[in-house]
């Protein structure tokens, strides 16, 4: 899907202009005003600059289009036209981007980078990106959480991405379905009933026994990702060694998710892939779902207005803090519009825009100023839940995860193996062995 906007005849001094103008010059990309004058750059942005079309390619829902930010940017920068496309599945998006980066052509001016790919982007692909520490974006880097910035920094200090969101994770649930099953619907009461992941599964058994419609949760893969999101060390250790098959936390998370599958507590709907997964948010196919903050907007989009007031959100079992997902914006070195692309990426990830995206889609800010600003946010769609407080508290306590170059492959192969437990009745042990074999085949 390509979004193309005509220029808007509105002259204004954009926030991005101010940010960019205050920035430092660099080797790869010139500062916002080549003349060094804020007034000169403002005049350029007000319509005196060269007409430029910026392409933006993302995956899933970053919330920029939904929050009207592309339109706003075009209105405030009449010389800029933005062409935007998104690929729903990151698993499809990333291989295509790799091909373009390796070819040195075909990539958009701004590309999204999922957190599970950031280690690859900062190691094997480091020279395929603009070093943002040498651009106007340099002064903005300290505004992101330290873990977010560190993950996007190469070993020699290059910064290849600006943080968009982070993924503090809770549990979202259908209040009407839990009430039908006689289970707690108040967030605090439900949290009290879930002292552990085993308690969460036991509630699922009670739910199934009640005869309430649908399954307890959507998928074993989603459950696995939520459980493992609470760990600091997952697939790699601090030395960068692959440890997924010796890390007990990975196997324990896998076994818990497989138990849910074996006990028919899942709807067997592979997230983002099964065509019945999206309708499931509205038709009651599942009562609960692991819920990174970005899932808030996704639920609203899929369940629609009919779902408003029928959803709630609470913390993970045991009050555990997890982080699942999050992303960056990077500017490929092949971009012919690097200076303008950096300006747009800065603006999209600035506090004011991150606040707007959180309000629309639930994508939790990675900018520390924005994190403070959204602390009091409540959401009537989720029964008035204080989502700013809930996700903010989780974000404070979530571990700074160790990321590796092939986190995305490992996560996918493990969740694929869990799907075979759900759909094909493969035993958990055999599924685990299959996951190991698949990982070996891909990583050598």
């Amino acid at each position: 899907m390509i979004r193309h906007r005509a220029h808007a005849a509105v002259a204004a001094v954009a926030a991005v202009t101010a940010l960019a103008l205050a920035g430092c010059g660099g080797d790869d990309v010139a500062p916002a005003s080549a003349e060094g004058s804020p007034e000169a750059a403002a005049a350029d942005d007000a319509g005196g600059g060269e007409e430029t079309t910026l392409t933006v390619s993302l995956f899933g829902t970053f919330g920029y289009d939904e929050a009207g930010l592309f339109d706003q940017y075009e209105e405030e920068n009449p010389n800029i036209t933005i062409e935007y496309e998104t690929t729903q599945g990151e698993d499809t998006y990333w291989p295509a981007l790799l091909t373009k980066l390796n070819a040195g052509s075909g990539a958009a001016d701004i590309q999204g980078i999922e957190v599970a790919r950031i280690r690859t982007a900062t190691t094997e692909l480091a020279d395929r990106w603009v070093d943002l520490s040498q651009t106007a974006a340099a002064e903005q880097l300290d505004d992101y959480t330290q873990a977010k910035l560190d993950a996007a920094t190469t070993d020699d200090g290059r910064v290849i991405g600006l943080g968009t969101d982070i993924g503090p994770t809770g549990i979202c649930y259908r209040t009407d379905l839990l009430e039908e099953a006689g289970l707690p619907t108040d967030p605090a009461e439900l949290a009290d009933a879930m002292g552990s992941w085993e308690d969460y599964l036991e509630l699922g058994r009670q739910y199934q026994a009640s005869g309430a419609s649908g399954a307890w949760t959507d998928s074993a893969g989603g459950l696995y990702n939520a459980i493992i999101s609470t760990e600091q060390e997952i697939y790699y250790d601090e030395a960068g060694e692959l440890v997924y098959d010796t890390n007990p936390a990975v196997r324990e998370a896998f076994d818990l998710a497989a138990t849910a599958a074996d006990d028919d507590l899942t709807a067997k709907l592979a997230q983002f892939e099964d065509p019945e997964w999206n309708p499931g948010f509205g038709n009651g196919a599942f009562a609960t779902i692991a819920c990174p903050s970005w899932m808030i907007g996704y639920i609203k989009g899929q369940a629609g207005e009919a779902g408003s007031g029928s959803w709630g959100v609470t913390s993970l079992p045991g009050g555990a803090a997890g982080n699942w997902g999050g992303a960056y914006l990077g500017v490929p070195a092949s971009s012919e519009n690097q200076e303008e692309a950096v300006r747009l990426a800065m603006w999209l990830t600035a506090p004011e825009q991150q606040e707007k995206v959180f309000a629309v889609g639930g994508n939790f800010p990675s900018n520390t100023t924005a994190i403070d600003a959204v602390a009091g946010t409540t959401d009537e769609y989720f029964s008035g839940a204080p989502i700013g407080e809930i996700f903010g508290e989780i974000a404070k306590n979530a571990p700074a995860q160790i990321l590796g170059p092939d986190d995305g492959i490992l996560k996918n192969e493990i969740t694929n193996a869990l799907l075979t437990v759900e759909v094909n009745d493969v035993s958990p042990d055999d599924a685990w062995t299959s996951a190991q074999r698949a990982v070996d085949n891909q990583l050598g």
Side-chain angles (χ1 to χ4, degrees):
M1 175 179 67
I2 300 284
R3 168 192 173 281
H4 185 96
R5 301 289 301 178
H7 292 181
V10 178
V13 179
V16 67
T17 306
L19 289 166
L21 289 172
C24 301
D27 295 330
D28 294 329
V29 178
S33 171
E35 302 299 326
S37 161
E39 293 77 11
D44 285 346
D45 285 344
E50 182 180 350
E51 298 284 331
T52 302
T53 296
L54 294 177
T55 53
V56 179
S57 179
L58 307 174
F59 55 89
T61 305
F62 277 56
Y64 300 141
D65 204 29
E66 293 76 5
L69 295 182
F70 293 137
D71 289 339
Q72 180 183 345
Y73 193 82
E74 288 178 328
E75 290 172 359
E76 296 178 351
N77 297 270
N79 60 317
I80 298 294
T81 297
I82 298 171
E83 291 186 353
Y84 160 66
E85 65 177 4
T86 187
T87 301
Q88 191 57 49
E90 199 275 344
D91 294 349
T92 302
Y93 167 88
W94 181 251
L97 176 57
L98 278 181
T99 299
K100 295 170 183 173
L101 291 175
N102 287 326
S105 65
D109 294 310
I110 294 177
Q111 294 277 173
I113 307 169
E114 210 270 339
V115 67
R117 313 291 189 179
I118 194 63
R119 187 58 182 161
T120 298
T122 57
T123 53
E124 301 168 22
L125 303 171
D127 61 348
R128 310 301 168 88
W129 302 95
V130 169
D131 177 8
L132 297 167
S133 72
Q134 299 301 309
T135 73
E139 78 157 22
Q140 196 165 305
L141 298 181
D142 288 340
D143 296 341
Y144 304 100
T145 62
Q146 193 61 51
K148 193 73 175 177
L149 175 61
D150 288 349
T153 305
T154 66
D155 291 342
D156 61 357
R158 292 165 53 85
V159 177
I160 60 87
L162 299 181
T164 59
D165 63 318
I166 56 179
T169 301
I171 296 288
C172 288
Y173 58 95
R174 286 278 298 268
T175 55
D176 53 342
L177 297 182
L178 265 61
E179 183 176 14
E180 178 184 347
L183 297 178
T185 59
D186 177 77
E189 292 179 8
L190 183 59
D192 287 343
M194 298 192 302
S196 66
W197 284 106
E198 287 78 6
D199 289 344
Y200 172 77
L201 297 189
E202 181 55 33
L203 283 179
R205 297 184 187 96
Q206 293 177 31
Y207 181 86
Q208 299 293 68
S210 75
S213 59
W216 177 235
T217 191
D218 65 324
S219 66
L223 177 57
Y224 165 81
N225 281 316
I227 298 170
I228 206 65
S229 76
T230 64
E231 300 293 331
Q232 180 179 32
E233 181 180 288
I234 303 176
Y235 305 120
Y236 292 82
D237 64 15
E238 288 189 354
E241 297 296 324
L242 191 64
V243 297
Y244 84 96
D245 54 351
T246 57
N247 181 357
V250 174
R251 185 59 197 263
E252 288 169 8
F254 181 90
D255 287 343
L256 272 170
T259 297
D262 270 346
D263 291 353
D264 290 327
L265 301 182
T266 76
K268 307 177 182 179
L269 300 175
Q271 293 188 340
F272 302 104
E273 295 181 5
D274 194 304
E276 296 303 316
W277 187 63
N278 283 342
F281 288 93
N283 65 22
F286 44 86
T288 71
I289 184 170
C291 193
S293 58
W294 45 262
M295 190 70 81
I296 291 287
Y298 200 87
I299 290 172
K300 292 177 181 177
Q302 298 305 323
E305 283 304 312
S308 182
S310 297
W311 284 86
V313 57
T314 190
S315 55
L316 290 177
N323 185 81
W324 175 6
Y328 296 84
L329 298 181
V331 177
S334 60
S335 169
E336 296 181 353
N337 304 298
Q338 293 182 11
E339 181 178 342
E340 291 291 0
V342 169
R343 292 188 191 190
L344 175 56
M346 290 173 63
W347 187 81
L348 289 171
T349 58
E352 296 82 1
Q353 281 61 254
Q354 292 203 356
E355 289 177 45
K356 291 177 181 176
V357 170
F358 181 68
V360 171
N363 303 44
F364 197 80
S366 62
N367 184 296
T368 55
T369 299
I371 290 174
D372 292 339
V374 304
T377 302
T378 59
D379 195 323
E380 291 307 314
Y381 194 99
F382 282 80
S383 308
I387 61 171
E389 177 184 347
I390 291 173
F391 288 118
E393 192 63 26
I394 295 170
K396 286 179 186 175
N397 297 304
Q401 293 164 340
I402 299 170
L403 302 175
D406 295 305
D407 281 356
I409 291 173
L410 290 153
K411 181 182 71 173
N412 290 342
E413 293 303 340
I414 289 174
T415 54
N416 287 341
L418 285 167
L419 186 62
T420 68
V421 178
E422 294 176 286
V423 176
N424 300 325
D425 292 327
V426 175
S427 74
D429 284 343
D430 287 347
W432 177 256
T433 300
S434 294
Q436 290 176 300
R437 188 180 305 119
V439 169
D440 289 344
N441 288 339
Q442 293 208 51
L443 304 188

